[in-house]
Amino acid sequence: FFKQKTAYEMQRSLVGSEMCIRDRNNAQAGAPTCVTYRERTMKVVVAYDGSKHAHKAIDQLQILNGPLDAVIVSVVRGPALGIRGTAVEVDQAEIDHARAALDKVAAELAARGVTARTRLAMGEPADVLVDIAEEEKAELIILGTRGLSLAKRIVMGSVSSNVLHHAPCAVLVVR
C-alpha cells in the first residue's frame, strides 16, 4: 500500500506542508506543535530598540523553522529640524548606545545558535524598516508593539501600524 521514498523525496514532498508533532512523553501537552517545512532560506528583518517588546520580537527567530537570513535593525531618529528650522544633529551617545545594544543582541543570538547581521540606521523608524525590507528583499518583518493608547498613537504615530500598512512583505507584530 505505501510507496517507499528516499529521504530526498520525503524532503521534497514536505516543502510548504505542515507537520504536527505530539510529544508522547508529555501527556499534558495539549495541542500538537505544528511547523511548516521550508527548504530555502527565509529573509527576515527584525526591528530592535532594546525594549522588552523588541526582545520578544528577537525571540521569534527561535520559533521560525528552517534556514534564516536575519537582519537586526536599530533605528535612531534623526536628523530633525529644530524650532528655528535648523537641522539638529543626532546625539553621538544615542548612536553609540544603539550600536552597543545591537552588538549585545547579536552576541546573545550567536550563543543560541542563530546568526544574524546587524544594521544601524537613522531616520523615521517605520520608513527605515520598510526601506530595509525592500532593499533586503525580506519575506518577513518582525517588530514589537508598545501598546500605546489611542491618544498617544494619534499624537506620536505607531511604528508597527505604519510598517503594517507600507511593508512589501508579511509583518509579525509581537506583544
Side-chain angles (χ1 to χ4, degrees):
F1 292 106
F2 296 103
K3 178 185 171 191
Q4 287 187 327
K5 291 185 176 184
T6 65
Y8 178 75
E9 288 172 325
M10 293 258 312
Q11 274 189 337
R12 297 300 303 163
S13 66
L14 286 174
V15 172
S17 64
E18 193 172 82
M19 270 192 312
C20 294
I21 303 162
R22 187 170 302 229
D23 183 0
R24 291 180 192 215
N25 296 327
N26 186 355
Q28 299 175 356
T33 302
C34 297
V35 294
T36 301
Y37 181 82
R38 251 184 315 101
E39 184 175 68
R40 63 181 172 74
T41 301
M42 179 184 221
K43 291 197 170 222
V44 181
V45 170
V46 184
Y48 186 76
D49 64 2
S51 68
K52 71 176 183 175
H53 301 283
H55 280 287
K56 288 180 181 179
I58 292 291
D59 290 341
Q60 297 304 304
L61 289 174
Q62 294 286 120
I63 295 171
L64 296 175
N65 183 33
L68 295 175
D69 178 8
V71 180
I72 313 301
V73 179
S74 185
V75 182
V76 177
R77 289 186 189 264
L81 292 177
I83 296 172
R84 296 189 178 118
T86 57
V88 176
E89 290 297 317
V90 179
D91 183 15
Q92 186 61 42
E94 193 174 343
I95 294 171
D96 294 341
H97 181 273
R99 169 55 55 205
L102 276 176
D103 291 342
K104 180 179 177 185
V105 78
E108 288 171 7
L109 284 170
R112 291 193 253 170
V114 177
T115 55
R117 294 179 285 133
T118 60
R119 288 186 61 174
L120 178 62
M122 285 184 235
E124 278 301 313
D127 296 338
V128 170
L129 288 168
V130 168
D131 290 345
I132 289 175
E134 287 173 349
E135 182 183 312
E136 294 281 344
K137 295 180 176 56
E139 297 171 67
L140 178 65
I141 299 172
I142 305 174
L143 69 161
T145 180
R146 294 182 190 270
L148 299 177
S149 67
L150 177 60
K152 285 186 179 179
R153 273 197 314 265
I154 290 170
V155 173
M156 296 170 37
S158 167
V159 173
S160 57
S161 179
N162 287 335
V163 170
L164 275 169
H165 286 90
H166 298 99
C169 58
V171 177
L172 174 60
V173 180
V174 181
R175 216 173 249 265

